[in-house]
């Protein structure tokens, strides 16, 4: 006889406590393999596919797309261990009570369980087993809904739409999925122009453009209730990445007594040094990588700023390694990927790691581990065309260096007025870890290295 196992939203790691259901990958009545992804969820850190550790027939789903669930809440139930056809298992599954843990399952059930630990990235089964088999027997799809009362009633399997997709929608990029979701577009209605019908970003953009064409419809005056809602303004839920950013910034402003100092620096020699390095052949060096190298050397001289405050113990904890965070703007909002052990990396290695993390963040494929553990943050807001800012410290760090745009300005150079490439640098620091003298010394050293990159040669 089949056992019904309840699969709960697993601990996705890095202190995450909830996730939003973005898209179900299976329907009630489907047969799932061990470690097959069953739902795509969005957390405050990243968008991930969650695999189920059980193999069997899906008998119920809990929560509609757009619903936010806490860790430990039921996601779905699976009938495992039976020997009948999938339709028979789905019909018989409600007769058995859900089994909460692996210890309650018999030997037959154990053979349909991966045993992998679902922390951070779900289970780690072979890719070949991650397939979806769809069964459209109406009785199999409806029987679980009549026999059980889920948190949210499971949605019925969708019928094939105009696009003709009856199985998994052929789309790989999370960015394409998000673009369609934001535009209210059903990807099943899109015909892909890529290999084997793969849906590309251009396909989604064309479909969205078609949806935006105005349709002839009578114009009616809004009811008083609708007008009242309209005047109240748009309400955007603070959840996912935006909610996590809001919480962190609010905590930073609440807990950290921050102060900011800034200085203008002549970056002409730094830009010339970068041009010379890139003209020599080999991998190109980014400006951000050179600034990161300067930060690392400055932190070696002023370790007070590579620290955190343990408020419970009333202690300053100076950290042995520099894990450098950097601000990156993505379609999902601002994120701060972290380059681990930045102090041990060359300019070439830093350039490559910045590029990798930035691309992963923009594609929505960055992992929670890549977004945590920072000890100091470098914020290049000059890419937005602004000169200065007063950064908010990325809690629980102790400081952040901000870099404005580098532009030609009149500057006194060697006693004469000249046009030089000038940048404004700003340092926001936790006044508990150091005084203004230390912060000023750090910022002055950074400015000296920007103005005279040869200064770094004295520290290596």
């Amino acid at each position: 006889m089949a056992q019904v196992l309840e699969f709960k939203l697993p601990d996705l790691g890095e202190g995450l406590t909830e996730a939003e259901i973005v898209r179900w990958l299976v329907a009630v009545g489907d047969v799932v393999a061990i470690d097959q992804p069953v739902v795509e969820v969005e957390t405050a850190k990243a968008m991930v596919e969650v695999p189920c550790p059980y193999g069997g027939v899906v008998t119920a789903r809990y929560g509609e797309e757009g619903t936010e669930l806490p860790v430990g809440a039921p996601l779905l139930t699976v009938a495992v261990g039976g020997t009948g056809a999938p339709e028979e298992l789905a019909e018989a599954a409600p007769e058995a009570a859900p089994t909460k843990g692996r210890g309650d399952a018999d030997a037959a059930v154990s053979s349909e369980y991966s045993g992998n630990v679902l922390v951070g990235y779900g289970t780690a089964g072979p890719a070949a087993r991650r397939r979806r088999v769809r069964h459209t027997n109406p009785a199999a799809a409806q029987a679980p809904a009549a026999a059980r009362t889920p948190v949210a009633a499971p949605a019925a399997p969708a019928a094939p739409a105009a696009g003709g997709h009856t199985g998994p929608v052929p789309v790989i990029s999370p960015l394409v999925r998000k673009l369609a979701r934001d535009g209210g577009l059903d990807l099943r209605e899109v015909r892909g122009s890529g290999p084997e019908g793969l849906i590309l970003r251009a396909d989604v953009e064309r479909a969205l453009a078609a949806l935006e064409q105005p349709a002839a419809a009578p114009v009616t005056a809004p009811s008083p209730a609708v007008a009242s809602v309209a005047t109240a303004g748009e309400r955007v839920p603070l959840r996912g990445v935006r909610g996590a950013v809001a919480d962190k910034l609010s905590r930073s402003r609440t807990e950290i007594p921050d102060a900011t100092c800034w200085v203008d620096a002549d970056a002409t020699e730094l830009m010339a040094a970068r041009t010379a390095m890139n003209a020599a052949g080999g991998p190109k060096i980014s400006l951000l990588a050179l600034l990161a190298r300067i930060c690392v050397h400055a932190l070696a001289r002023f370790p007070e700023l590579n620290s955190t405050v343990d408020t419970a113990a009333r202690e300053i904890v100076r950290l042995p390694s520099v894990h450098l965070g950097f601000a990156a703007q993505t379609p999902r909002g601002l994120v701060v990927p972290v380059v681990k052990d930045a102090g041990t990396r060359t300019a070439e290695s830093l350039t490559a790691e910045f590029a990798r993390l930035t691309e992963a963040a923009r594609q929505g494929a960055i992992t929670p581990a890549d977004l945590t553990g920072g000890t100091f943050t470098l914020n290049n807001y000059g890419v937005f065309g602004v000169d200065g800012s007063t950064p908010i410290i990325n809690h629980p760090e102790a400081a952040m260096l901000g870099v404005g745009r580098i532009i030609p300005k009149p500057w006194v150079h060697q006693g004469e007025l000249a046009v030089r490439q000038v940048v404004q640098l700003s340092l926001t620091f936790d006044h508990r870890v150091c005084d203004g003298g230390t912060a000023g010394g750090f910022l002055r050293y950074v400015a000296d290295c920007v103005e005279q990159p040869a200064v770094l040669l004295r520290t290596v």
Side-chain angles (χ1 to χ4, degrees), residues 384-398:
F384 301 117
V386 297
D387 297 331
S389 176
T390 54
I392 298 178
I393 295 173
N394 188 22
H395 184 279
E397 298 170 14

Side-chain angles (χ1 to χ4, degrees), residues 65-162:
E65 293 178 356
T67 303
E68 191 169 73
L69 297 179
V71 169
L75 269 179
L76 50 76
T77 53
V78 180
V80 304
T83 57
E87 293 82 1
E88 297 172 353
L89 289 176
E91 292 174 353
E95 299 175 4
T99 301
K100 301 297 183 179
R102 184 182 180 188
D104 298 328
D106 56 17
V109 175
S110 298
S111 65
E112 299 296 327
Y113 178 79
S114 69
N116 292 323
V117 179
L118 286 161
V119 175
Y121 309 97
T123 60
R129 304 180 69 175
R130 297 184 176 181
R131 66 188 187 280
R132 177 183 176 189
V133 182
R134 183 68 178 271
H135 295 271
T136 55
N137 183 298
Q142 297 174 3
R148 292 176 55 87
T149 306
V151 174

Side-chain angles (χ1 to χ4, degrees), residues 260-283:
T260 302
C261 53
W262 58 89
V263 66
D264 289 342
D266 180 358
T268 306
E269 297 301 326
L270 179 66
M271 300 299 286
R274 175 173 177 256
T275 300
M277 294 170 71
N278 289 338

Side-chain angles (χ1 to χ4, degrees), residues 18 165 283:
E18 64 275 324
H165 303 302

Side-chain angles (χ1 to χ4, degrees), residues 22 32 40 49 69 93 115 119 216 222 244 265 286 290 351 354 363 409 422:
V22 174
V32 295
E40 185 182 70
E49 291 183 347
L69 297 179
V119 175
S286 70
L290 295 181
T351 298
F354 282 137
Q363 294 296 326
K409 284 186 178 182
V422 179

